[in-house]
Amino acid sequence: MNKRVLGLSAVCAIGALALTACGSGSSGGSTASGPVTLKLVAADYGDKASNSSTLYWNGVVKDFEAANPNIKVDVQVINWNDIDKQVKTMIQSGNMPDVLQTGGYADKVADNLLYATPDVLSASTASNLIPSFAKAGQVDGTQYGIPFVSSARAFFYNKTIFAQAGITTPPQTWDDVKNDAALIKAKVPGVTPYALPLGPEEAQGESMIWELGNGGGPTDGSGHYSLNSQADIDTFSWLKSNLVGPGLTYANPATTDRKTAFADFAAGKAAMLNGHPSLIQMATDGKVDYGVAPIPGKTGALKSTLGVADWMMAFKKNGHKDQIKKFLDFAYSEQNTLKFDETYNLMPVTQDTLQAMTSSGKHQDLAPFFALLPQASFYPVGDTTWDTVSAQMKQSIGTAVSGDPAKVLGDLQKKAQDAVANK
């Protein structure tokens, strides 16, 4: 995603509303007799003043206020480096926004600060959300996080390098990846056959992509952490034996970040890797003849992929439920979401905007991502321990491809269970 990918972490996030409001209350609609002022705090997706998200939100608010003269919206857009810290200060001082758009929501749910989604989003708007993304906004079966923009992962490969190695089609299975990488190493020296970034920038993302290919992942079917499941251990054992050991990737994936892998691919120095849509522009700028395909799994190409979302949420403190609902319904109209996604080269979270972007003919380079988006799988972002667990994964899971996978993953599982016990 632009600036931070959901990172889509990046999964590449949106601006939030920093608010002070007329009137007060703890629930329901405002009881104030005059106009109500909502405070919106949002993350900035622009990289310079000329494309700051402030411009987008000011336009949305101007149109909204014209249609709703009794509701005013104050907009505060904060850069990604500072937004979480500033929002934390707002919360601690009791000066909470009415609406916030940022990277995560679960900690606010744990502190009982947010409205449930049905309180602040009409049924028609809620039903327009892509179901897998809406579900990712749930905590204990109730939705609080409203997806705002998204990112997904797909498989990128350098067509020129593949042709030099005599490879005519992208790999569909892990064995295909291994065999293609071996051919590239033999016939195109000086190139990293597969860029495997398991360094601290986004190790949890690359790990989950590979684990999905073997039916695994960070949690089991009931949502409990399963970092040392047999499927996950087998995944890292395969990577160690088939890519790292034979020298078909970086010498030390545990210290190699996604940023390095992306830069290598954009410079024509890496033949294949998992990437998100921002890699398209990087590869284009680097004049790389690239292809995009579904991610290879152990037995075949995946029909799902890792999805990352940034979130919108509504605070209960000021009691402006009805006004927030009007604003969010307006903000989530196809006209507005389409403009934001196209302005910042992001992926949609609503079905009408997905259809519009798919059928317009203007986004052919994103077609593989559009196809994968509805089946996306997510980090357990509704669990308040995920931030702690993912931080631990970033620091050590990469060592599973050089050390003992069962021990590395077992240690992480124990830390995850401790985090759950202490929450």
Side-chain angles (χ1 to χ4, degrees), residues 245-297:
L248 300 179
T249 185
Y250 296 113
N252 191 357
T255 60
T256 305
D257 283 333
R258 181 188 64 188
K259 180 179 179 180
T260 298
F262 278 25
D264 285 349
F265 186 82
K269 297 178 181 179
M272 46 184 165
L273 78 171
N274 296 320
H276 50 65
S278 70
L279 187 54
I280 291 173
Q281 189 61 53
M282 292 179 65
T284 301
D285 291 345
K287 296 180 171 53
V288 171
D289 184 13
Y290 69 91
V292 181
I295 292 170

Side-chain angles (χ1 to χ4, degrees), residues 22-241:
C22 300
S24 62
S26 59
S27 64
S30 171
T31 59
S33 58
V36 166
T37 299
L38 300 178
K39 282 201 167 183
L40 165 65
V41 173
D44 195 351
Y45 287 85
D47 55 8
K48 50 185 179 289
S50 60
N51 71 343
S52 169
S53 298
T54 301
L55 302 175
Y56 168 81
W57 284 114
N58 284 345
V60 171
V61 167
K62 180 181 178 181
D63 293 342
F64 174 76
E65 290 180 347
N68 299 271
N70 287 325
I71 307 174
K72 304 299 179 184
V73 182
D74 285 342
V75 176
Q76 182 179 0
V77 172
I78 305 173
N79 70 66
W80 276 108
N81 292 334
D82 296 331
I83 188 167
D84 288 342
K85 179 174 62 178
Q86 291 195 29
V87 169
K88 183 177 181 180
T89 299
M90 293 175 196
I91 292 172
Q92 290 174 339
S93 65
N95 183 30
M96 299 176 198
D98 293 292
V99 182
L100 171 66
Q101 189 281 305
T102 187
Y105 64 86
D107 56 332
K108 286 86 172 173
V109 177
D111 291 334
N112 195 29
L113 300 177
L114 302 182
Y115 282 115
T117 297
D119 290 333
V120 290
L121 211 60
S122 69
S124 59
T125 301
S127 65
N128 188 38
L129 297 171
I130 295 173
S132 58
F133 283 83
K135 186 175 181 180
Q138 294 181 358
V139 175
D140 296 331
T142 299
Q143 185 182 350
Y144 297 90
I146 306 169
F148 185 70
V149 290
S150 68
S151 180
R153 303 296 191 265
F155 182 82
F156 284 74
Y157 61 100
N158 185 309
K159 292 182 178 180
T160 302
I161 294 175
F162 269 47
Q164 291 171 341
I167 304 167
T168 57
T169 58
Q172 295 190 39
T173 68
W174 288 358
D175 283 344
D176 291 342
V177 173
K178 175 184 68 174
N179 295 335
D180 290 349
L183 279 172
I184 290 166
K185 182 179 181 179
K187 297 187 177 183
V188 193
V191 167
T192 300
Y194 183 88
L196 181 67
L198 291 171
E201 181 185 355
E202 204 195 29
Q204 84 287 3
E206 185 72 13
S207 298
M208 184 168 168
I209 291 169
W210 282 94
E211 291 165 353
L212 289 172
N214 195 33
T219 57
D220 59 23
S222 60
H224 298 118
Y225 287 114
S226 57
L227 300 176
N228 66 336
S229 67
Q230 192 60 51
D232 290 355
I233 292 172
D234 290 347
T235 296
F236 279 90
S237 297
W238 188 94
L239 288 169
K240 178 180 179 180
S241 299

Side-chain angles (χ1 to χ4, degrees), residues 294-318:
I295 292 170
K298 185 174 183 181
T299 59
L302 298 186
K303 293 181 173 58
S304 178
T305 185
L306 173 63
V308 181
D310 293 328
W311 302 93
M312 189 77 78
M313 63 212 75
F315 285 74
K316 297 188 291 186
K317 173 76 161 49
N318 299 314

Side-chain angles (χ1 to χ4, degrees), residues 3 18 49 86 88 103 116 163 219 222 242 313 319 338 379 415 423:
K3 296 289 288 178
Q86 291 195 29
K88 183 177 181 180
T219 57
S222 60
N242 292 278
M313 63 212 75
L338 181 61
Y379 302 130
K415 291 177 180 178
K423 73 174 180 179

